Amino acid sequence: QVRSHRAGTVDVAGLFALTSELSELSVAGKALMTSYYSTAGMHANLETDLVSGSNVMAASSACSKMSFGEAASTLVINCVGASILVFPKVMADCGFVSAISLCIISAATSIQCGTLISDACTFVEQHFNVSVVPSFEALAFYIGGSKMRNVLIVTNNFVMVGSIVAYLQFVVDSFSNMIPLPELVIRFGIVWPLYAMLAMLTSLKQLARVANVGLLAVFLECGSIILGAIWRSFLIGACSPHTAGGCRWYTLEPAVPQSGWLGVWGKSAAVFLFSCAVLGTVPTVRSQIERPADMPRILRAAFSTICVINIIVMSLGYYGFGGSAPDNAAVELSKGHSIRFPVIGVVCSIAVLINMFISTPLCSFCFISVFESTGSDALRTPLTPLNIIFRASFMLVLSFVSWQVPYVIEVIGLISAVFVCCNNVFFPVVFIARAPGRPPLGITKQISLCITLLIGAYVLVFGFQGSLDTLMSKLAADHDSDKASASHEMNSLSSFSITSWLLEVVG
């Protein structure tokens, strides 16, 4: 598709083949192909034949439209992933009331911004007389030209790369729950080779066969956290806030001094926003549903469901773990200090692995496709020896980054505060403000857009600050711990040497 667009033509047969693949997939398979369409739009040269390409896609996909329920479930499945493992910790950090409020605000903001994207697509289609806007990148080009599209490509790919870094840590933790090997061996001896193989995928249809397994993994993951947390609550008693020991304690407000509340709220909002980071697929899903006018209703149904799932898992997880909730609920269930649930922890870890092995190619395929679209030499031709080395090296670099920064919540917070915030909040507002053929905005609409921008600005500033401060504190603590450990070892060695010498002299 890339080469045909560069030549100034539309590969009609390729578009028909792409749509034919979609029609063969189940609902879960459509979720994967949704990202495939979005990625295809990213590296196509939209300056040439964009209008005719949109019309061809619309005509060829007429027989494979998704229903209301299928489209809503597609969005839900893509949102409920491994990030749900950190939600009990998020509630422990910012308190019961704040966590639920921020989760609801994030879902409401996602509904608002998704609706803005859908409305912008409608205005573009009417103004340019095209049948559908096929992707987020196509929408950016229609509204702001190649410059806006290129900025969107950059922010989107930073999200993809950052997501892989976070996913790597989830996978390492999950293998550590099941295999008693050193972390370095697991990370570079098991996880990196597996991720290198996943990076060799050249079509997301190869994942469609296991898409239904991924859906099952989501249910197992959520169910394991809920079951383990409730079971744990029966075995460990409750106590006053910040009490030492293995008891459960709770707070309504953030568990930090008031001076740090803004940062904690910002970081938590960024994590919730990350779990809803599928708004870039709204134009693609909209182009594949039976009635595009239903997209706002689909968004309300999907993100309301996501919000309810997140609140249930987060609240019950917090109830079971209390204020000392871990960064990764699956790890605590398997290797908890006070009590362990090995079987539940292993089931949860297996579910996370399945989820991550399906989710990661969506991100790596996106980034690698954009890189390969920049040229046609051996390095950028799929699966040539040089290209294979590049793909494996790409995963090796990300594995090293994940090893150096192993704090998932903070990594997610940093990515979301900057890049997800741009894609999910700022771009939708810009799109609706600059959409051609848009009628004048009423005062109510203008106020809602201002509120949306304020929410995005808050997450951008305080989410980044809160995540960065916590990350630096943890890295500093790790550094001090390593120095103390090394000093202890040296002292032990020195004491052993002096003792041996004294014994030798006395002897």
Side-chain angles (χ1 to χ4, degrees), residues 393-407:
S393 300
F394 170 64
M395 285 301 181
L396 179 60
V397 170
L398 295 188
S399 297
F400 182 80
V401 173
S402 177
W403 174 45
Q404 292 299 307
V405 189
Y407 303 108

Side-chain angles (χ1 to χ4, degrees), residues 448-463:
S448 69
L449 291 180
C450 290
I451 293 174
T452 301
L453 286 175
L454 287 175
I455 292 173
Y458 177 83
V459 175
L460 175 63
V461 175
F462 291 103

Side-chain angles (χ1 to χ4, degrees), residues 81-85 216-225 348 351-352 355:
S83 59
I84 208 166
L85 293 173
L216 175 63
V218 169
F219 285 109
L220 284 176
E221 184 182 340
C222 295
S224 298
I225 296 174
C348 188
V352 171
N355 192 318

Side-chain angles (χ1 to χ4, degrees), residues 183-401:
E183 181 187 337
L184 277 180
V185 175
I186 292 176
R187 185 179 297 276
F188 294 104
I190 298 177
V191 176
W192 170 60
L194 289 173
Y195 264 56
M197 287 189 288
L198 290 174
M200 303 303 161
L201 291 176
T202 57
S203 170
L204 292 181
K205 189 180 178 182
Q206 295 168 278
L207 290 175
R209 301 170 186 171
V210 296
N212 288 327
V213 179
L215 177 61
L216 175 63
V218 169
F219 285 109
L220 284 176
E221 184 182 340
C222 295
S224 298
I225 296 174
I226 292 173
L227 177 60
I230 293 176
W231 194 347
R232 191 176 189 276
S233 69
F234 287 118
L235 302 177
I236 297 179
C239 57
S240 301
H242 306 289
T243 302
C247 59
R248 296 176 292 116
W249 52 268
Y250 311 99
T251 59
L252 296 178
E253 69 281 346
V256 296
Q258 288 189 4
S259 59
W261 285 14
L262 290 176
V264 169
W265 286 336
K267 181 181 73 171
S268 301
V271 173
F272 289 129
L273 199 63
F274 182 85
S275 70
C276 300
V278 295
L279 293 187
T281 65
V282 167
T284 307
V285 174
R286 181 180 172 279
S287 70
Q288 296 299 316
I289 59 179
E290 295 168 350
R291 296 182 59 219
D294 286 341
M295 195 65 208
R297 290 177 52 235
I298 291 172
L299 291 167
R300 287 193 292 271
F303 285 108
S304 297
T305 303
I306 293 164
C307 183
V308 170
I309 293 173
N310 289 346
I311 289 175
I312 290 174
V313 176
M314 176 173 61
S315 299
L316 292 177
Y318 180 56
Y319 177 72
F321 293 109
S324 58
D327 285 352
N328 187 323
V331 173
E332 183 66 18
L333 289 173
S334 294
K335 300 180 179 180
H337 298 293
S338 54
I339 191 168
R340 301 178 181 180
F341 304 93
V343 175
I344 297 177
V346 168
V347 170
C348 188
S349 296
I350 292 174
V352 171
L353 289 175
I354 295 173
N355 192 318
M356 292 298 92
F357 288 149
I358 293 176
S359 299
T360 298
L362 300 178
C363 300
S364 61
F365 180 83
C366 175
F367 179 86
I368 292 172
S369 295
V370 171
F371 171 76
E372 291 175 348
S373 71
T374 61
S376 56
D377 54 17
L379 180 63
R380 288 169 287 190
T381 300
L383 299 187
T384 61
L386 199 58
N387 182 262
I388 290 174
I389 294 174
F390 163 73
R391 291 173 181 242
S393 300
F394 170 64
M395 285 301 181
L396 179 60
V397 170
L398 295 188
S399 297
F400 182 80
V401 173

Side-chain angles (χ1 to χ4, degrees), residues 86-95 99 264 268-269 271-272 314 325-326 409:
V86 306
F87 283 177
K89 176 62 175 176
V90 171
M91 181 170 276
D93 286 342
C94 67
V264 169
S268 301
V271 173
F272 289 129
M314 176 173 61
I409 295 180

Side-chain angles (χ1 to χ4, degrees), residues 18-55:
L18 202 60
T19 310
S20 176
E21 291 179 358
L22 176 65
S23 65
E24 298 173 2
L25 304 180
S26 63
V27 175
K30 288 176 183 174
L32 298 175
M33 292 305 292
T34 291
S35 295
Y36 182 90
Y37 273 118
S38 183
T39 303
M42 250 193 306
H43 53 69
N45 189 348
L46 298 176
E47 285 92 333
T48 57
D49 297 313
L50 185 59
V51 174
S52 58
S54 300
N55 290 330

